[in-house]
């Protein structure tokens, strides 16, 4: 049994999907939100949207509040709470940043868990195309304002967005270095989709954020 690290974005979702397809039994999603803002850090997504994703995926969600400077200890505390049910490892959506992989392998090792990275060392453009071709739908929910134009916030991650990013060599196509973040609104894992009804784009400390003011969950029959 495995836990899947879940930010609500395309990589965490796609990694979980690929792990499930390979036969890994994912029993829980685990998500971390800011204690102060009740939103996913960097993504700026309200915790209720993550809860809606988990319900659509049909996988139990453990949502843990974190505070500045205590992320690792709070991460471990959350994961440890699930160990008694027989968790053997965790799924992550890292692609090529060694420091990220080293961190998850160290922390998982200290907890006696295996770390699985289904997307590791995949070519980012190939990964983006595979993601889209497999029916995953996401929207851009945050980005560095000096790298991504405001008009793309709230827009879908599609081939038009890929072509836009390819004109900006300083941006990784998957946003692996935090250039932008996404929210998955539909995918093969979900029994339905999230439809954003009302939104506002705001700028805070050099980042664009999509403030989702209203949304509805459409369940498939």
């Amino acid at each position: 049994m495995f836990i899947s690290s879940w930010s609500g974005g395309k990589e965490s979702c796609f990694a979980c999907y690929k792990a499930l397809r390979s036969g890994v039994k994912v029993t829980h999603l685990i998500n971390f939100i800011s204690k102060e803002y009740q939103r996913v850090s960097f993504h700026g997504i309200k915790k209720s949207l993550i809860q809606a994703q988990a319900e659509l995926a049909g996988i139990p969600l453990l949502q843990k509040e974190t505070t500045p400077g205590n992320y690792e200890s709070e991460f471990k505390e959350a994961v440890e709470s699930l160990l008694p049910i027989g968790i053997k490892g965790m799924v992550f959506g890292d692609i090529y940043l060694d420091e990220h992989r080293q961190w998850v392998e160290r922390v998982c090792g200290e907890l006696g868990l295996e770390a699985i990275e289904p997307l590791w060392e995949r070519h980012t453009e190939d990964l983006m195309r595979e993601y889209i071709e497999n029916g995953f739908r996401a929207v851009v929910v945050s980005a560095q304002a000096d790298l991504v134009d405001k008009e793309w916030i709230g827009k879908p991650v599609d081939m038009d967005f890929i072509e836009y990013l390819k004109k900006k060599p300083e941006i990784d196509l998957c946003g692996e270095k935090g250039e932008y973040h996404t929210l998955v609104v539909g995918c093969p894992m979900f029994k339905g989709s999230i439809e954003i009804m009302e939104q506002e784009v705001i700028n805070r400390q050099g980042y664009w954020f999509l403030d989702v003011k209203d949304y509805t969950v459409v369940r498939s029959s």
Side-chain angles (χ1 to χ4, degrees), residues 14-15 18 35 56 58-60 73 82 98 114 131 143 166 168 185 194-195:
F14 201 34
K18 291 182 79 67
K35 184 175 183 178
L56 287 171
I59 303 175
S73 62
L82 293 175
D98 285 327
E114 177 186 1
Y131 167 87
K166 287 172 70 174
K168 292 176 167 282
V185 295
I194 296 170
E195 304 298 332

Side-chain angles (χ1 to χ4, degrees), residues 9-158:
K10 57 186 180 12
E11 274 77 40
S12 67
C13 183
F14 201 34
C16 182
Y17 171 75
K18 291 182 79 67
L20 288 167
R21 290 288 298 271
S22 70
V24 173
K25 184 178 180 181
V26 175
T27 62
H28 289 78
L29 306 178
I30 190 166
N31 170 254
F32 297 91
I33 58 172
S34 162
K35 184 175 183 178
E36 181 179 2
Y37 298 107
Q38 297 294 296
R39 294 173 181 255
V40 180
S41 299
F42 302 110
H43 293 229
I45 290 298
K46 295 176 181 177
K47 65 180 183 179
S48 62
L49 281 162
I50 303 297
Q51 294 164 3
Q53 288 179 321
E55 290 174 7
L56 287 171
I59 303 175
L61 171 71
L62 174 60
Q63 205 162 43
K64 170 73 174 178
E65 294 180 349
T66 61
T67 53
N70 296 309
Y71 180 81
E72 183 171 316
S73 62
E74 290 162 341
F75 177 97
K76 287 181 175 179
E77 180 182 318
V79 174
E80 285 176 328
S81 71
L82 293 175
L83 296 185
I85 67 172
I87 297 299
K88 301 300 182 185
M90 290 192 67
V91 179
F92 298 90
D94 300 305
I95 303 173
Y96 63 77
L97 293 179
D98 285 327
E99 59 268 34
H100 286 189
R101 181 161 187 167
Q102 290 168 7
W103 187 87
V104 302
E105 289 185 343
R106 176 181 61 79
V107 171
C108 283
E110 291 171 0
L111 293 170
L113 299 175
E114 177 186 1
I116 294 179
E117 297 271 17
L119 311 184
W120 188 251
E121 293 189 331
R122 289 290 310 278
H123 186 276
T124 52
E125 183 170 352
D126 290 344
L127 198 57
M128 288 285 277
R129 290 179 181 276
E130 181 184 352
Y131 167 87
I132 293 169
E133 290 167 0
N134 274 270
F136 283 75
R137 295 190 298 114
V139 295
V140 181
V141 293
S142 67
Q144 294 181 37
D146 60 339
L147 295 178
V148 178
D149 296 328
K150 180 181 179 180
E151 66 187 84
W152 291 99
I153 310 304
K155 294 294 180 63
V157 176
D158 55 15

